[in-house]
Amino acid sequence: QLQFVESGGALVQPGGSLRLACTTSGFALDNFVVGWFRQAPGQEREGVSCVSGHGWPMTNSADSVKGRFTISRDNAKDTVYLQMSSLKPEDTAVYSCAVRFRPYAGTCALTKGQYDFWGQGTQVTVSS
């Protein structure tokens, strides 16, 4: 049974940091593109960051998080992380990870239609 479990969401003050983790079971993560997305209430789901598979170190991030968020993967643990710093109230959202099983080459995309399997999400709230 395929599973994606996100963790690390919390209430944090503006300027603070969090690290989210996305761990899989039922399949090995290393060959696949993995992305982090977020959805705030009343808004569309948007791509945050993604990392390519097959050992390529290529990543891609939305302009709104560049310089603040970093995506990384630990294939030995089948886990992808999203390190978030300098958090802002507008970063408040449910953060979900997603995997693309279909073959893909080049820089990963931040378009939700490019992904095939999703986790349930973890809540991140940035507030004083």
Side-chain angles (χ1 to χ4, degrees):
Q1 182 178 356
L2 305 182
Q3 277 193 316
F4 240 161
V5 178
E6 298 98 333
S7 62
L11 170 63
V12 62
Q13 292 187 343
S17 298
L18 280 177
R19 188 177 79 160
L20 306 183
C22 177
T23 302
T24 66
S25 64
F27 65 98
L29 196 59
D30 51 346
N31 288 331
F32 304 114
V33 172
V34 178
W36 279 99
F37 290 76
R38 66 185 181 186
Q39 188 168 21
Q43 297 188 21
E44 292 288 319
R45 180 177 284 176
E46 64 170 344
V48 176
S49 293
C50 60
V51 58
S52 297
H54 297 285
W56 294 357
M58 289 188 290
T59 63
N60 188 16
S61 294
D63 289 342
S64 59
V65 305
K66 282 181 180 176
R68 301 189 298 124
F69 292 10
T70 302
I71 189 170
S72 62
R73 64 194 306 159
D74 184 339
N75 291 330
K77 296 182 178 180
D78 286 327
T79 299
V80 172
Y81 300 100
L82 184 68
Q83 179 67 49
M84 306 186 294
S85 60
S86 301
L87 283 162
K88 306 174 182 179
E90 51 263 44
D91 294 318
T92 296
V94 175
Y95 285 71
S96 302
C97 55
V99 64
R100 178 185 170 94
F101 291 124
R102 293 164 281 165
Y104 191 87
T107 304
C108 53
L110 294 174
T111 309
K112 58 186 178 182
Q114 296 289 330
Y115 294 81
D116 304 309
F117 186 75
W118 294 79
Q120 294 299 309
T122 185
Q123 176 70 47
V124 172
T125 302
V126 184
S127 175
S128 55

